[in-house]
Amino acid sequence: MLDGMKMAAQGMMTMSAKQDIITNNLANVGTTGYRKESITISSFTEILNREVGGMDGMQQSSYEIATAPGMETRGTLSTGSVTHGAQGSLKETGNPFDMALDDNGRGFFTIQSPEGIKFTRAGSFRLSTSGHLVTPDGSFVMGHRGPVKLSGSNFQVSNDGVISCEGKPVDRLLVTVFDDTRQLKRSGDSQFVAQGGVRATTDFQLKQGYLEQANVNAINEMVDMMMVMRNYEANQKVLQAHDQRLQKTVNDLGRVR
Amino acid sequence: MMRALYTAASGMMAQQLNIDNISNNLANYQSTGFKKSRVDFQDLLYATMQDPGTEATSGTQIGMGVRAASTQRQFSQGSLQKTNNPYDVAVQGEGFFRVTLPDGTAAYTRDGAFKYDGETQQIVTGSGQPIGVSIPKDVTNVEVRPNGEVFGVRINGDGQAEKVGQIRLTRFLNPAGLQAIGGNLYVETPVAGARSEDIPGQNGMGSLAQGHLEKSNINVVEEMISIVQAQRAFEMNQKGVQAADEMMRMTNQLQRG
């Protein structure tokens, strides 16, 4: 009985976390280069299996635990959030400092912030007081030869990322891809930090004068939000039903006349 | 749950700023030489429940919403409007007219609605600031050539047009880095990048068109679409607030009586 209440409560907490993430997606529907996030939900048994199974020599016992009577269903838990890598639509701005990668969402601009190397899809760059190409928060945009520095009164970026000042090539934008995009950690400001293997790529198309919109589909988010609401409500009703039964058990069944 | 409330609120505030900006663009639809601006958004910090890349999961990161990072002005060419006024001059290309402010410092403008100031014998902007071209009082039939040469005919002369002045233009590596000071004027900042001055038609300066004015580069249809998008995004975030509120109400109903 109390288990049932716990499971319903777990369901509510999971839905609450999902709602937080949907709201963040909706808040960032107009953010340049924003990547949609979604939550992954697994059954409790599955998680237990994996957590315990991860320890050496415990495979057998974890299986036994997970399949023991009464362990088949134990509610749900959120196991993590994943970043969606699909490319957002490109919007023309006409500003030469706006750049977008047209590569099915694989590559990222490499930038150097005070906290170290980061990655971003938001190509809304500008000029720093020192003449470097920087992001809105002042991080340097990296080329193959280090931070990109512009000179002269005219600059262009070709389709393959080569930057030319006054017609002379100076550097090539460093675009990075990841072995596993699940290992990208968000650090705000539309930027990511890598936790796994990275490598430079030349397999991209660069569009100067364009910006990539967020890859959030508002319809999906609204539908998800409705589902979350109803799921939350269903779990709430289950909890209430359990509570009612418990009340009957305690007050009616156990009444001593 | 409170997180979703604040996240959605940040989305509403961001869209409100977006609408403020679009409204300013629309209000300046008729301002000569006005350049539209846009708001750049970035996502806020993430609450990291579990680091990505640890164990087999992708980590759990929940975002805190959105903020406006900056506004960017877009210096695309506005369309030219014929006025037949000899002192109306439009730039077709990237250059700016250089204006001397009353305190002696320089400002730059695309607004070529000039007039002749008989007292100082100079060509001045609509608000009386000289652009560095003086014309003797006894000259009529002023002609501005595409390369900036100013010709005129002396009243008591031989009737031949003679060169009386030269309009020069200035351009910047990153015009979006200029600071707007109102009155269609911009002042230089360190992030505007390298400045070069030349005669019109040279080095990408753009040529002059006498008897024309450059209209704002506002595309009304585009701005109206943006305002609809911003309003809908505002509504979506408002639904996020409602959903969070509703979920909290359900939570409160768990305990009945």
Side-chain angles (χ1 to χ4, degrees):
Chain A
M1 188 87 66
L2 286 171
D3 276 354
M5 286 182 101
K6 269 187 205 153
M7 276 188 258
Q10 244 167 29
M12 286 174 81
M13 286 188 284
T14 310
M15 284 306 125
S16 173
K18 187 165 179 173
Q19 174 67 16
D20 284 346
I21 284 184
I22 293 171
T23 317
N24 190 47
N25 286 339
L26 282 176
N28 283 293
V29 78
T31 303
T32 307
Y34 177 78
R35 288 274 162 277
K36 172 190 156 89
E37 191 176 25
S38 65
I39 205 163
T40 53
I41 297 169
S42 311
S43 74
F44 181 79
T45 325
E46 205 180 306
I47 299 166
L48 182 79
N49 238 332
R50 193 172 56 220
E51 299 276 313
V52 181
M55 296 179 218
D56 285 338
M58 292 286 283
Q59 265 81 358
Q60 185 60 38
S61 53
S62 77
Y63 178 77
E64 279 167 10
I65 294 168
T67 53
M71 286 298 265
E72 292 86 4
T73 48
R74 283 287 166 197
T76 60
L77 278 180
S78 77
T79 51
S81 50
V82 287
T83 297
H84 288 236
Q87 183 173 314
S89 55
L90 303 187
K91 186 180 176 190
E92 188 175 4
T93 66
N95 181 347
F97 284 81
D98 288 339
M99 296 167 212
L101 291 170
D102 190 9
D103 60 350
N104 293 324
R106 281 193 305 269
F108 284 73
F109 294 111
T110 313
I111 56 177
Q112 189 176 38
S113 74
E115 300 101 58
I117 295 286
K118 290 185 182 180
F119 306 93
T120 187
R121 290 282 297 185
S124 170
F125 301 135
R126 50 212 66 199
L127 196 68
S128 76
T129 49
S130 57
H132 287 94
L133 193 63
V134 293
T135 63
D137 59 303
S139 301
F140 296 115
V141 179
M142 301 295 280
H144 284 259
R145 296 179 198 157
V148 175
K149 190 165 185 181
L150 302 175
S151 58
S153 57
N154 181 346
F155 98 104
Q156 264 167 353
V157 187
S158 67
N159 266 355
D160 53 359
V162 175
I163 303 163
S164 313
C165 292
E166 306 280 7
K168 286 190 278 293
V170 291
D171 203 344
R172 187 170 188 186
L173 282 171
L174 184 58
V175 175
T176 306
V177 288
F178 302 92
D179 298 340
D180 182 1
T181 48
R182 288 188 315 168
Q183 301 195 335
L184 275 176
K185 182 179 172 185
R186 291 162 183 259
S187 68
D189 296 341
S190 309
Q191 294 164 4
F192 296 85
V193 180
Q195 309 265 26
V198 303
R199 62 194 156 80
T201 182
T202 53
D203 182 20
F204 63 86
Q205 285 275 312
L206 190 127
K207 296 221 153 135
Q208 193 179 14
Y210 285 82
L211 280 180
E212 184 183 351
Q213 310 287 95
N215 65 350
V216 175
N217 180 333
I219 299 170
N220 282 347
E221 299 301 317
M222 294 306 282
V223 171
D224 276 356
M225 196 155 87
M226 283 156 69
M227 274 163 48
V228 164
M229 289 282 292
R230 294 302 159 212
N231 202 325
Y232 193 83
E233 199 171 5
N235 277 305
Q236 181 230 23
K237 290 277 183 278
V238 170
L239 229 166
Q240 279 179 344
H242 275 300
D243 183 36
Q244 234 163 4
R245 277 204 299 182
L246 206 57
Q247 190 234 353
K248 278 210 179 344
T249 316
V250 173
N251 294 335
D252 297 344
L253 197 64
R255 183 178 296 166
V256 184
R257 288 183 188 271
Chain B
M1 189 47 52
M2 291 310 284
R3 189 182 289 132
L5 264 185
Y6 285 115
T7 306
S10 79
M12 286 172 80
M13 284 186 286
Q15 292 307 331
Q16 200 170 349
L17 188 76
N18 199 5
I19 290 175
D20 287 349
N21 182 61
I22 299 167
S23 306
N24 186 49
N25 284 346
L26 282 171
N28 281 294
Y29 175 55
Q30 297 281 13
S31 305
T32 309
F34 178 81
K35 300 295 175 193
K36 66 184 172 187
S37 62
R38 66 154 202 262
V39 186
D40 274 350
F41 296 110
Q42 286 186 334
D43 52 359
L44 282 176
L45 286 174
Y46 284 78
T48 303
M49 315 295 190
Q50 188 183 16
D51 264 336
T54 49
E55 296 162 20
T57 70
S58 52
T60 305
Q61 290 195 284
I62 297 180
M64 306 282 194
V66 64
R67 71 179 177 101
S70 64
T71 55
Q72 275 275 73
R73 206 168 279 277
Q74 287 171 257
F75 283 86
S76 56
Q77 175 79 39
S79 56
L80 301 190
Q81 187 180 25
K82 198 168 175 62
T83 63
N84 289 326
N85 178 347
Y87 289 108
D88 284 343
V89 184
V91 183
Q92 288 177 288
E94 286 188 17
F96 290 83
F97 298 109
R98 187 174 184 277
V99 174
T100 309
L101 296 178
D103 64 358
T105 58
Y108 302 89
T109 187
R110 293 280 298 188
D111 179 359
F114 300 131
K115 56 189 184 188
Y116 182 65
D117 181 351
E119 207 168 297
T120 59
Q121 303 187 6
Q122 294 234 336
I123 298 183
V124 296
T125 63
S127 45
Q129 290 131 357
I131 63 161
V133 177
S134 52
I135 300 177
K137 252 186 182 162
D138 61 342
V139 166
T140 60
N141 293 344
V142 172
E143 184 196 348
V144 180
R145 303 223 166 137
N147 64 2
E149 288 175 333
V150 183
F151 280 76
V153 180
R154 296 208 183 251
I155 293 171
N156 297 321
D158 54 5
Q160 292 290 314
E162 58 178 292
K163 185 175 170 182
V164 292
Q166 169 77 49
I167 297 176
R168 296 174 75 84
L169 292 177
T170 307
R171 66 190 283 251
F172 298 89
L173 174 60
N174 179 24
L178 293 171
Q179 184 193 352
I181 57 168
N184 283 342
L185 295 174
Y186 302 95
V187 291
E188 193 179 5
T189 68
V191 296
R195 179 185 70 201
S196 58
E197 198 183 312
D198 214 325
I199 59 169
Q202 298 281 321
N203 295 323
M205 286 295 169
S207 54
L208 300 185
Q210 189 185 21
H212 289 80
L213 281 180
E214 184 186 7
K215 302 208 296 186
S216 68
N217 64 349
I218 308 283
N219 179 336
V220 176
V221 177
E222 203 177 294
E223 296 297 320
M224 291 310 287
I225 289 171
S226 299
I227 217 163
V228 169
Q229 281 177 336
Q231 192 183 349
R232 293 298 172 209
F234 187 86
E235 271 181 37
M236 276 180 234
N237 282 292
Q238 183 237 0
K239 293 277 184 251
V241 172
Q242 277 180 346
D245 176 44
E246 183 72 3
M247 283 163 82
M248 283 196 289
R249 185 186 62 80
M250 286 185 226
T251 314
N252 284 340
Q253 281 175 350
L254 279 175
Q255 166 94 38
R256 290 171 309 166

